[in-house]
Amino acid sequence: MSGSARLDALLGLLPAPIGEALLPHARLATLRSGQIVMGHQDATNEVFVVIEGSLRIELVSRNGREIILNDAGPGDLVGEFAALDDQPRSATVTATSKSTLARIPGAAFKEAMLGDPRCADWLTKRLVRLMRGMTERVFELNALAVRSRLHCELLRLSLDAGITGNSALIAPSPTHVELANRIGTHREAVTRELQYLQKQGITVSEGRRLSVEDVTRLAEIVRAAAGDVELIQRASQAGIGRALD
């Protein structure tokens, strides 16, 4: 695929006014797996759109503990916070596979997004969605036990992967260590609970493939622990919440 063709992919990955506004300013960036896109507290403000591959957004404590905030794939943006408020980077972003990104100067991104009401509306809704997701996770970390936090994360991953009937295939699935870093616990706790869920027939794990065989039951468990949180509303919108009504 040629460089120009890869940049043209923005038009298919993003809504029409967004892709059209960003394309004139975009340049290609190719990364190898493990390469850092931006570091926490870096004084840079470029915005990146994932064209191919995957990125991880995380924080690392002084003692080396990783806190995974999110993952980004084709069509996702990273780096827009610094472009909008001219503050240092809020997290470290690393390529988790060979990746191709569209690289957009922060000033050009800000001008393009705020100069068109359609783009501004899209960006506002995106930021609100991110805030809702962070609120969801703060609630889980402070109000739920480890096993319930894992249930929430598995339901979230199922929704992101797509649900067919009453099941979802998460592939490649996060490792037990990665799941632990997502929910603020240790690998052993994740392994114990996944073994329990498999015995209950809710999940099946084979290598880096994790199948949630009964998403409705998983959602019922989440609802019993967390109540009618945003995650359950998303599950209902996905069509698996009818059994919860």
Side-chain angles (χ1 to χ4, degrees):
M1 184 182 292
S2 68
S4 61
R6 291 195 181 195
L7 282 176
D8 285 346
L10 285 176
L11 301 177
L13 290 170
L14 297 171
I18 315 303
E20 292 167 0
L22 297 182
L23 183 59
H25 310 286
R27 298 293 181 270
L28 277 179
T30 303
L31 290 82
R32 63 183 182 279
S33 180
Q35 188 171 348
I36 294 176
V37 182
M38 63 187 73
H40 181 223
Q41 294 297 308
D42 281 357
T44 58
N45 68 355
E46 291 172 303
V47 177
F48 299 87
V49 183
V50 183
I51 295 176
E52 295 175 343
S54 57
L55 308 178
R56 173 147 298 155
I57 305 160
E58 62 186 350
L59 292 170
V60 181
S61 68
R62 289 182 180 274
N63 63 6
R65 180 176 179 182
E66 297 178 7
I67 302 168
I68 297 175
L69 302 175
N70 212 343
D71 291 312
D76 289 332
L77 274 67
V78 295
E80 69 270 37
F81 289 4
L84 293 171
D85 66 7
D86 296 316
Q87 296 298 308
R89 298 297 193 183
S90 60
T92 295
V93 178
T94 307
T96 51
S97 67
K98 184 178 179 181
S99 301
T100 301
L101 313 178
R103 185 175 192 162
I104 301 150
F109 173 84
K110 185 174 182 178
E111 182 178 355
M113 292 297 98
L114 302 185
D116 183 328
R118 298 172 300 170
C119 295
D121 179 68
W122 177 86
L123 181 60
T124 299
K125 289 177 179 176
R126 169 180 164 76
L127 295 175
V128 169
R129 187 168 63 252
L130 290 173
M131 180 60 71
R132 287 181 181 276
M134 287 297 105
T135 302
E136 204 173 79
R137 289 176 181 273
V138 168
F139 168 79
E140 292 167 13
L141 285 169
N142 285 276
L144 302 183
V146 168
R147 64 184 305 178
S148 296
R149 298 204 299 268
L150 179 60
H151 300 156
C152 289
E153 187 63 25
L154 291 177
L155 180 56
R156 190 177 291 113
L157 289 169
S158 297
L159 291 168
D160 291 343
I163 299 163
T164 302
N166 190 32
S167 63
L169 177 62
I170 304 164
S173 63
T175 66
H176 292 192
V177 171
E178 289 170 341
L179 283 170
N181 290 341
R182 287 172 180 265
I183 65 172
T185 187
H186 50 84
R187 178 184 59 81
E188 292 78 9
V190 169
T191 299
R192 283 196 303 269
E193 186 58 23
L194 285 176
Q195 289 173 344
Y196 171 79
L197 291 174
Q198 185 151 323
K199 289 179 181 177
Q200 296 298 308
I202 297 175
T203 65
V204 174
S205 181
E206 297 179 1
R208 293 299 302 276
R209 294 165 59 89
L210 177 63
S211 176
V212 179
E213 298 290 295
D214 193 340
V215 180
T216 297
R217 188 174 173 197
L218 179 62
E220 289 170 346
I221 294 171
V222 169
R223 183 172 186 174
D228 293 323
V229 294
E230 290 280 344
L231 191 54
I232 288 296
Q233 293 175 16
R234 285 175 56 196
S236 297
Q237 291 168 0
I240 65 166
R242 287 186 292 272
L244 306 178
D245 294 335

